[in-house]
Amino acid sequence: MIRRMSTRRRAREIVLQLLYEADLNDWRDAQTSRKFIRSRLQGRKILTDFAAELLDGTLARRDEIDAKLTKLSTNWALHRMPVTDRNVLRLGAYEILYGGTPGQVAISEALTLAKRYGGENSPRFINGVLDRLFKYHSSPESISS
């Protein structure tokens, strides 16, 4: 179980790198992204598929996710957030809303990414936004677009 969690965590780190890149630069095509993921995960098919699903899903629903995050991140415009925080939030939100990951697990994994790659205040901020999203997820009309 610990091994599975740590390898999924590694997959999330790679997805975060690609989301960060997509946020700042021209996006590489899906085939190139899949190749990058596969090389970083040493060809492990299950993890590669997991990471590709997270990446593709987050990018496909980014506008929808951004609209929900904007409503929940009080006093913070999404475009003004640090790029890392914004993409950790997107990934965590995707997992909570569409990825089938239990909400508390998605939040915990996002906090781990925030602690490792974000700023000093990132974990607290990300925890607050994702916790609100998780709580409101059971009543979608309260954050619907």
Side-chain angles (χ1 to χ4, degrees):
M1 180 68 169
I2 292 172
R3 174 102 173 117
R4 180 174 173 212
M5 185 169 55
S6 65
T7 53
R8 282 188 160 225
R9 182 167 293 150
R10 178 68 183 130
R12 286 181 180 94
E13 289 177 345
I14 292 162
V15 171
L16 178 61
Q17 291 172 11
L18 290 166
L19 290 173
Y20 187 100
E21 175 187 3
D23 205 357
L24 295 179
N25 302 312
D26 289 333
W27 178 236
R28 60 173 91 195
D29 63 70
Q31 185 178 8
T32 306
S33 298
R34 185 77 174 220
K35 207 173 176 180
F36 177 81
I37 291 168
R38 193 172 28 256
S39 73
R40 293 296 184 266
L41 293 172
Q42 302 165 342
R44 292 179 275 182
K45 183 172 176 16
I46 292 173
L47 284 177
T48 298
D49 291 345
F50 173 71
E53 179 186 323
L54 289 179
L55 177 65
D56 295 344
T58 303
L59 289 173
R61 296 187 178 262
R62 183 165 62 184
D63 291 343
E64 188 179 333
I65 290 167
D66 284 359
K68 291 180 182 190
L69 292 173
T70 297
K71 289 180 180 186
L72 294 171
S73 54
T74 351
N75 303 322
W76 273 97
L78 209 58
H79 71 278
R80 300 215 29 162
M81 291 177 193
V83 179
T84 300
D85 291 2
R86 181 170 54 235
N87 286 292
V88 169
L89 282 170
R90 286 173 174 156
L91 179 56
Y94 174 78
E95 287 200 75
I96 290 168
L97 297 170
Y98 312 105
T101 304
Q104 293 302 331
V105 173
I107 292 169
S108 176
E109 290 297 316
L111 290 176
T112 299
L113 290 171
K115 288 173 187 171
R116 185 161 186 190
Y117 298 105
E120 182 181 332
N121 296 319
S122 297
R124 185 176 46 226
F125 174 70
I126 288 168
N127 184 52
V129 175
L130 290 181
D131 187 56
R132 280 191 293 272
L133 178 68
F134 177 55
K135 286 176 181 168
Y136 291 127
H137 178 55
S138 59
S139 63
E141 65 277 357
S142 64
I143 58 168
S144 60
S145 306

